[in-house]
Amino acid sequence: MMTRQIDKPDDCREMGSTSALIMAGSRPAGDPMAESRGIAVKALIPVAGKAMLAHVAEALLAHKKISNLYLLAQDFEPFWDNPDTQALKSDDRVIAKTSSATIASSLDSVLEREDMRFPVLITTADNVLLSEQMIGDFLSIAGSADIAIAVVEKKTLLKRYPASQRTWLKLRGGQYSGANLFYFGSPKARQILQYWAAVEQDRKKGWKILTIFGPWLLFLAVTRMLTIDQLASRVGKKLGLKIKIVSMAQAEACIDVDKESDLVMVEQIIESRS
């Protein structure tokens, strides 16, 4: 299996065939960025004059491959009261679902619904730079996979944004940062959530999840004896799943808004686009 990086998407799925889900909840301890602004939830922090969630929801709902959109959060009143996001309440394509104690359990409760239509693209409300091109590229490569995970290679990011600082997973042949884009191609992909639940508090530490799959796999990864595709293949075989790694061509795919410096960079990028 080889990581593919593309510049133009292949139209491999019919129009409106993919569900989308945005994780827009709050951290148990609260978010410093939201609290410093007196805002109820991080997803409503204004970015370039518009709430984070509005940027992401608009990008997904405008894409021809997206059929409907699930919103996952603890409380929706702040969204329905905000002028940037209140229209989502009356949009027939938007389904609001209250989240539970953890990310993994919240996702599982939505994905197990009888009316859930697979495949499902999952992202976060702070993925503000999500674009039509990113969505199309990611879905076209994800294809028939059970699970697809988007990453950005270090050289791709630093070539365009040399000052950007990210958390890197170092493997044979490259270093990678997560892009907050995930793809569940079928219901059986839900089984990965039990592993996600075990490590989600350390999700910024890319190696942490590997401890679950045994010391040998962890050893091969940390000694950089495996490429990222070989690693995905081995994990997939253990789970009986087809896992794809999608190396995004757009450096912006891994730039979300986690801290104040990210917000400054994202607003500069949006301004340059316009």
Side-chain angles (χ1 to χ4, degrees), residues 65-137:
K65 299 287 183 66
I66 301 301
S67 57
N68 51 24
L69 173 62
Y70 289 84
L71 296 180
L72 196 55
Q74 291 96 338
D75 181 12
F76 289 96
E77 287 308 312
F79 300 139
W80 306 155
D81 291 339
N82 187 287
D84 293 336
T85 55
Q86 61 188 194
L88 296 173
K89 183 178 182 179
S90 57
D91 192 318
D92 292 338
R93 298 170 62 193
V94 177
I95 304 103
K97 295 297 295 180
T98 303
S99 58
S100 53
T102 67
I103 295 173
S105 62
S106 299
L107 284 174
D108 199 46
S109 67
V110 176
L111 296 175
E112 72 176 353
R113 288 168 55 103
E114 291 185 2
D115 62 347
M116 173 54 73
R117 181 179 177 184
F118 287 83
V120 183
L121 183 156
I122 301 170
T123 190
T124 57
D126 62 1
N127 192 11
V128 179
L129 296 176
L130 185 66
S131 67
E132 178 183 4
Q133 185 74 43
M134 290 180 201
I135 297 168
D137 285 3

Side-chain angles (χ1 to χ4, degrees), residues 3 34 71 77 82 129 133 172 190 195 241 243-244:
T3 302
L71 296 180
E77 287 308 312
N82 187 287
L129 296 176
Q133 185 74 43
R172 179 182 174 187
R190 288 173 51 209
Y195 300 101
L241 298 171
I243 300 177
K244 282 187 179 181

Side-chain angles (χ1 to χ4, degrees), residues 4 25 41 52 59 82 128 139 151 177 202-203 230 262 265:
R4 293 178 55 199
V41 290
M52 286 188 192
N82 187 287
V128 179
L139 291 178
V151 299
S177 180
D202 293 295
R203 62 189 181 277
Q230 291 169 339
D262 294 332
M265 174 177 282

Side-chain angles (χ1 to χ4, degrees), residues 11 13-17 60-67 132:
D11 198 11
R13 287 192 179 273
E14 64 185 45
M15 181 176 293
S17 64
L60 289 167
L61 290 170
H63 201 281
K64 66 179 182 180
K65 299 287 183 66
I66 301 301
S67 57
E132 178 183 4

Side-chain angles (χ1 to χ4, degrees), residues 12-33:
C12 65
R13 287 192 179 273
E14 64 185 45
M15 181 176 293
S17 64
T18 303
S19 301
L21 186 152
I22 301 176
M23 294 185 285
S26 303
R27 298 172 182 173
D31 184 85
M33 292 182 67

Side-chain angles (χ1 to χ4, degrees), residues 128-183:
V128 179
L129 296 176
L130 185 66
S131 67
E132 178 183 4
Q133 185 74 43
M134 290 180 201
I135 297 168
D137 285 3
F138 181 61
L139 291 178
S140 70
I141 291 187
S144 60
D146 295 309
I147 295 174
I149 302 168
V151 299
V152 172
E153 196 166 359
K154 186 175 183 178
K155 62 183 181 182
T156 300
L157 178 65
L158 297 187
K159 181 179 179 180
R160 187 162 177 82
Y161 304 105
S164 181
Q165 297 182 352
R166 311 297 302 172
T167 300
W168 301 104
L169 178 62
K170 301 176 182 178
L171 294 167
R172 179 182 174 187
Q175 298 182 44
Y176 305 88
S177 180
N180 276 1
L181 280 175
F182 308 92
Y183 174 93

